[in-house]
Amino acid sequence: MKLLHIDSSVLGPHSVSRQVSSAIVDRLRQATPGLEIVHRDLSLTPLSHLSGSHLAAAQGGAADATVQEDLAAGQAMLNEFLAADIVVVGAPMYNFTIPSQLKAWIDRIVVAGKTFKYGAKGAEGLAGNKRIIVAVSRGGFYGAGTPAAAGEYVETYLRWVFGFIGVTNPEFISADGIQVGPEHREKALASALQAATSLRAA
Ligand SMILES: Cc1cc2nc3c(=O)[nH]c(=O)nc-3n(C[C@H](O)[C@H](O)[C@H](O)COP(=O)(O)O)c2cc1C
């Protein structure tokens, strides 16, 4: 069984989402003998944004060395994602949504004919055979009924995009109110780490 671990926080060891995604991976590693783990750090090794020349080359157009390298990087991301049985994603909230580093990765894995297709009934996800677990960290509170609920574009976006490619029940562990103060940060982190230890085995 293969697990792909994605991190996208730019805050290195201070990152909350990294600590929680790590705890999720540790829990699954302990519970699943022989689990093969690949860690992809999108902050350390960022992907470039999609470009017109990238899209043209993907359709068979001419590609210079830079574009070829970029295509190969995108293909490697897609292959890694397709090969994984479980994907653990660290997703901090930056300006109400995911970091652009994580969006660049999503742009490489949401690919027509590979992870979704359009048919008679509209879009159909092709990657539904995976388990996806997301570690979210947010500075404030965005729960249903709170004043900021309409500004939540991390979990809502990821639920939609993973659902679009067929993973209709992604799991979320969240640490909220991280910027409220050190005491609250510790409490929210401890509670998310605890939730990670009770995840069902792979
Ligand atoms: C660049 C930046 C933008 C942020 N934007 C928001 C935001 O829009 N809403 C929010 O609640 N918290 C925001 N925060 C706080 C983070 O969501 C919070 O610190 C979280 O723990 C970040 O995850 P990380 O520690 O894994 O990087 C922001 C933090 C940074 C560094």
Side-chain angles (χ1 to χ4, degrees), residues 19-35:
Q19 292 178 68
V20 178
S21 74
S22 234
I24 293 170
V25 172
D26 284 349
R27 154 72 185 151
L28 296 176
R29 183 192 283 114
Q30 281 157 17
T32 317
L35 189 64

Side-chain angles (χ1 to χ4, degrees), residues 7-21 90 92 94 137 185 189:
D7 272 316
S8 60
S9 167
V10 299
L11 298 181
H14 304 291
S15 154
V16 171
S17 64
R18 281 175 187 267
Q19 292 178 68
V20 178
S21 74
Y94 294 162
S137 52
R185 176 192 165 99
L189 177 58

Side-chain angles (χ1 to χ4, degrees), residues 24-180:
I24 293 170
V25 172
D26 284 349
R27 154 72 185 151
L28 296 176
R29 183 192 283 114
Q30 281 157 17
T32 317
L35 189 64
E36 279 176 50
I37 300 171
V38 172
H39 186 213
R40 174 80 42 196
D41 189 329
L42 299 174
S43 172
L44 207 60
T45 317
L47 292 160
S48 53
H49 289 159
L50 285 183
S51 66
S53 23
H54 173 112
L55 293 177
Q59 309 284 330
D64 63 19
T66 313
V67 174
Q68 274 176 25
E69 217 173 275
D70 186 46
L71 274 180
Q75 190 62 51
M77 294 304 116
L78 179 61
N79 291 345
E80 251 173 29
F81 179 74
L82 290 172
D85 302 289
I86 308 173
V87 183
V88 175
V89 181
M93 175 182 272
Y94 294 162
N95 297 319
F96 307 106
T97 188
I98 58 172
S100 54
Q101 288 87 344
L102 183 55
K103 177 60 166 55
W105 177 78
I106 286 173
D107 287 340
R108 305 307 174 116
I109 63 148
V110 179
V111 178
K114 300 291 184 189
T115 50
F116 74 94
K117 66 176 182 183
Y118 285 111
K121 292 186 197 147
E124 185 192 333
L126 302 175
N129 58 343
K130 293 180 200 311
R131 179 179 182 194
I132 298 187
I133 310 169
V134 186
V136 176
S137 52
R138 289 173 282 229
F141 299 99
Y142 298 84
T146 61
E152 207 294 323
Y153 297 98
V154 176
E155 182 168 341
T156 45
Y157 171 67
L158 292 175
R159 266 190 202 285
W160 177 263
V161 78
F162 289 139
F164 181 79
I165 60 172
V167 183
T168 51
N169 58 347
E171 298 159 58
F172 286 82
I173 294 182
S174 303
D176 287 324
I178 295 303
Q179 298 298 337
V180 168

